[in-house]
Amino acid sequence: MGSLIPAVLREERQFARYFYGQALSMVGDRISFVVIPFAVLSIDGAGAADVGLVGAATLVPFLVFALAGGVWADRLPRQRVMLVSDLVRFVTQALVAALLLAGSAQVWHLVVLMAVFGTADAFFAPAAAGLMPLIVGPERLQEANALRGLIMSTGLVAGPALAGGLILVLGPGGAIALDALSFVVSAAFLARLTPRAADPADAPQGGFFAQLSEGFAEVRSRTWVWAMLGALSAYHVVVLPSVFVLGPVLSEREFGGAAAWSVVVAAFGVGSIVGDVVALRVRFSRPLVIAAAALAVASCQALIIGAGPTIPVIAALEAVTGVAVSLAFTLWETSLQANVPQAALSRVSSYDYLLTAGLMPLGLAVAGPVAQAIGLRETLYGMTLLGVPAALALLAIPAVRHLRAPAPSAKQVPAPAAQPAAV
């Protein structure tokens, strides 16, 4: 009987240290995502507009500094960039918690502190993407990304429930304080890492803007990279507003409101966990082919929400799309880490963050007015008509079809029964 501990944790000690530190931090992030709006609303006189303002204060700096974060993560030791980011985010969350617990928090306090938090986050994310190949062997990258995704998906399911309990017991300030401590744990594990050293000959040359331009050149020179970025942008801008905006509106009108919609969200989260487990156990020889097909399935979410006759049917189908989303993103991240030069990986990843998460607010802002103009269900169907072809078009690109996964190392070959199956 094989070990319950995934091989990547048993055999990659540096990744294991990184993973255990990040696991708590990721769950803390999911809790904080739920708690922050209630923290804002706990301030006398604060309302929905203030919740949006604090949310924007976190997002806008991330968008502004994401590309800069990628450049500095390629210039400096990525572990050091992540460590500083964790310490900055600890300080900001600790100050938020202290202000809330003291009863002296004002909305502008949270806006400023969340802006600092978002800036630190913009430096952490590209550095983390670039660090992975330095702490995991190429043949284990998919498993490492799947395991990281598994924690994120689990947090998506468990986070709201944990957040609700923490708010009830500790209040918003106490819940935020626990999230602050999670960054200390992450920093402690990061400080113990000894990643493989990058080749000094590959170190970026020139000034900041020259290196920024080189990052864009790395994206432009790889057809499979810019094609995937285009399809992923379409998914974030066109498809995801069906989940975050129009789905809740439709549920409120026809299916019983927030309680019914929470079933759909939970089902998607469970599907995401299943997808991460599949990516952990199954090796795909042509990862972008599977990623493109999975993205096409994921892009059916708008159609599912618009055409689903009942909440149980919508929830069951959303669970399927959850599996697809996890597969698509795990295989995409692994492909970047395995095939983009180490010296440029953080810069290329920063373009990924900017064009996906960065553009999503545009879709969120436009979805409601479009639905009012042409109809809710018509808009949902139109989202699918745009999103699915964008994903399927990837399969017509030779560079996408021909990209191969890293070959298994020799030490993995002797025990085929215990190895992930190739697909």
Side-chain angles (χ1 to χ4, degrees), residues 38-409:
F38 292 97
V40 176
L41 293 173
S42 71
I43 299 172
D44 288 341
D50 298 302
V51 173
L53 182 62
V54 173
T58 307
L59 178 62
V60 171
F62 184 90
L63 303 182
V64 172
F65 292 106
L67 295 182
V71 172
W72 284 104
D74 281 339
R75 290 172 69 120
L76 300 174
R78 288 159 180 154
Q79 174 191 13
R80 188 183 305 168
V81 174
M82 295 166 66
L83 185 57
V84 172
S85 174
D86 268 347
L87 294 177
V88 170
R89 291 183 293 177
F90 159 68
V91 171
T92 59
Q93 292 295 73
L95 288 173
V96 169
L99 289 168
L100 290 169
L101 290 171
S104 57
Q106 301 294 322
V107 171
W108 73 266
H109 294 150
L110 271 60
V111 168
V112 172
L113 290 170
M114 287 298 99
V116 176
F117 184 98
T119 302
D121 213 25
F123 284 81
F124 184 92
L131 181 71
M132 193 71 80
L134 298 178
I135 59 174
V136 183
E139 71 280 354
R140 294 293 190 195
L141 276 174
Q142 181 182 313
E143 295 170 65
N145 285 312
L147 202 56
R148 182 174 176 271
L150 181 61
I151 293 299
M152 295 178 68
S153 298
T154 303
L156 185 65
V157 176
L162 290 172
L166 289 173
I167 291 173
L168 184 64
V169 175
L170 302 176
I176 295 295
L178 288 180
D179 182 41
L181 290 176
S182 75
F183 290 111
V184 176
V185 174
S186 173
F189 277 95
L190 281 172
R192 296 180 61 211
L193 284 183
T194 53
R196 289 185 289 274
D199 188 344
D202 294 333
Q205 303 296 318
F208 176 87
F209 290 104
Q211 292 178 20
L212 187 63
S213 178
E214 288 173 7
F216 179 72
E218 291 287 349
V219 172
R220 187 181 56 192
S221 66
R222 290 171 173 80
T223 304
W224 62 271
V225 172
W226 58 256
M228 280 294 299
L229 286 176
L232 289 169
S233 298
Y235 174 74
H236 281 82
V237 175
V238 177
V239 177
L240 277 184
S242 69
V243 178
F244 292 117
V245 178
L246 302 189
V249 172
L250 184 65
S251 180
E252 181 67 29
R253 291 180 183 177
E254 300 183 13
F255 295 121
W261 189 247
S262 67
V263 174
V264 175
V265 174
F268 178 88
V270 171
S272 298
I273 293 173
V274 173
D276 291 320
V277 172
V278 171
L280 184 63
R281 303 300 304 168
V282 181
R283 183 177 299 280
F284 299 96
S285 61
R286 297 183 186 271
L288 291 188
V289 171
I290 303 300
L295 190 61
V297 174
S299 297
C300 292
Q301 289 181 88
L303 176 63
I304 291 168
I305 293 167
T310 63
I311 283 295
V313 171
I314 295 173
L317 294 175
E318 277 291 289
V320 175
T321 65
V323 175
V325 168
S326 289
L327 279 176
F329 282 93
T330 296
L331 296 176
W332 162 240
E333 290 171 358
T334 302
S335 297
L336 282 180
Q337 293 161 2
N339 294 281
V340 172
Q342 175 61 223
L345 181 53
S346 289
R347 280 172 288 173
V348 172
S349 296
S350 70
Y351 280 96
D352 180 20
Y353 291 119
L354 181 66
L355 293 176
T356 54
L359 289 177
M360 188 168 69
L362 176 63
L364 297 178
V366 169
V370 171
Q372 288 182 340
I374 68 173
L376 183 58
R377 293 186 187 275
E378 289 78 7
T379 302
L380 289 166
Y381 300 152
M383 290 172 165
T384 301
L385 289 175
L386 292 173
V388 172
L392 291 178
L394 292 170
L395 298 175
I397 298 174
V400 170
R401 298 197 308 270
H402 297 159
L403 191 78
R404 308 286 300 197
S409 64

